[in-house]
């Protein structure tokens, strides 16, 4: 299916590009409406603002990709970008964990596959005592997904608190303590280091 979509987009004539812009705009408006609803219902107004910020940032990234592939959409895309820029205004990160995790480039792919847990295996290889993963009962979202995405966001530039804000905006509120404990465990296993 992915190959079919890629082929269709690659073969799309320039004359059809304005339709893609309309679809991108509709998708952006839908995502922003959902994010604004989430913000209105959020227990923490700051977390709600993060949902709107991430929806707008995602829409902006889609528009930039669209302009790069079909320059003829630039004028319309710029108009929409101007509207989204205010929505994507950064919400200040106020979290307590300013450490910056750097992923070990030798560790590739997911850390847990079927019955294999790379973190536990790495800890055992380092002679560390078996330790449980951080308690995920405080999470309202999918703990495995949040842990997977947190590691993907560890790019050597973002702090633990900044990663928390992105995950909270995209998925569900994430306590900083959960991510701090998760990254501490990954550091003990040699999967990340601290900047």
């Amino acid at each position: 299916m992915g190959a079919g979509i890629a082929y269709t987009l690659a073969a799309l004539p320039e004359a059809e590009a304005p339709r893609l812009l309309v679809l991108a705009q509709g998708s952006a408006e839908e995502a922003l409406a959902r994010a604004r609803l989430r913000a209105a219902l959020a227990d923490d107004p700051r977390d709600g603002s993060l949902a709107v910020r991430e929806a707008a940032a995602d829409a902006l990234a889609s528009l930039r990709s669209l302009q790069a592939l079909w320059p003829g959409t630039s004028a319309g895309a710029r108009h929409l970008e101007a509207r989204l820029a205010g929505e994507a205004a950064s919400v200040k990160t106020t979290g307590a964990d300013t450490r910056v995790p750097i992923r070990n480039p030798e560790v590739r792919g997911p850390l847990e596959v079927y019955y294999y847990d790379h973190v536990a295996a790495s800890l055992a290889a380092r002679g560390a005592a078996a330790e449980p993963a951080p308690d995920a009962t405080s999470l309202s979202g999918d703990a495995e997904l949040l842990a997977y995405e947190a590691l993907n966001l560890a790019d050597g530039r973002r702090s633990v608190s900044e990663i928390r804000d992105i995950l909270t905006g995209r998925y569900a509120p994430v306590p900083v303590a959960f991510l701090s404990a998760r990254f501490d465990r990954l550091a003990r296993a040699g999967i990340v280091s601290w900047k």
Side-chain angles (χ1 to χ4, degrees), residues 18-104:
R19 290 182 183 207
L20 287 178
L21 182 58
V22 170
L23 289 171
Q25 180 175 355
S27 179
E29 295 296 340
E30 180 182 2
L32 279 168
R34 274 191 258 107
R36 287 184 193 116
L37 177 62
R38 192 173 142 203
L41 299 174
D43 292 333
D44 181 342
R46 184 175 176 284
D47 286 352
S49 297
L50 292 169
V52 174
R53 178 190 81 179
E54 289 303 311
D58 186 50
L60 284 169
S62 293
L63 287 173
R64 289 182 186 119
S65 176
L66 184 67
Q67 289 177 74
L69 294 170
W70 291 280
T73 63
S74 290
R78 278 194 302 272
H79 174 71
L80 184 54
E81 279 182 322
R83 282 191 16 220
L84 291 172
E87 301 271 9
S90 194
V91 178
K92 296 262 189 234
T93 296
T94 59
D97 198 337
T98 58
R99 297 176 298 164
V100 176
I102 303 167
R103 188 171 181 161
N104 181 343

Side-chain angles (χ1 to χ4, degrees), residues 1-25:
M1 183 179 228
I5 292 170
Y7 174 79
T8 300
L9 288 174
L12 191 74
E14 184 72 31
E16 293 294 318
R19 290 182 183 207
L20 287 178
L21 182 58
V22 170
L23 289 171
Q25 180 175 355

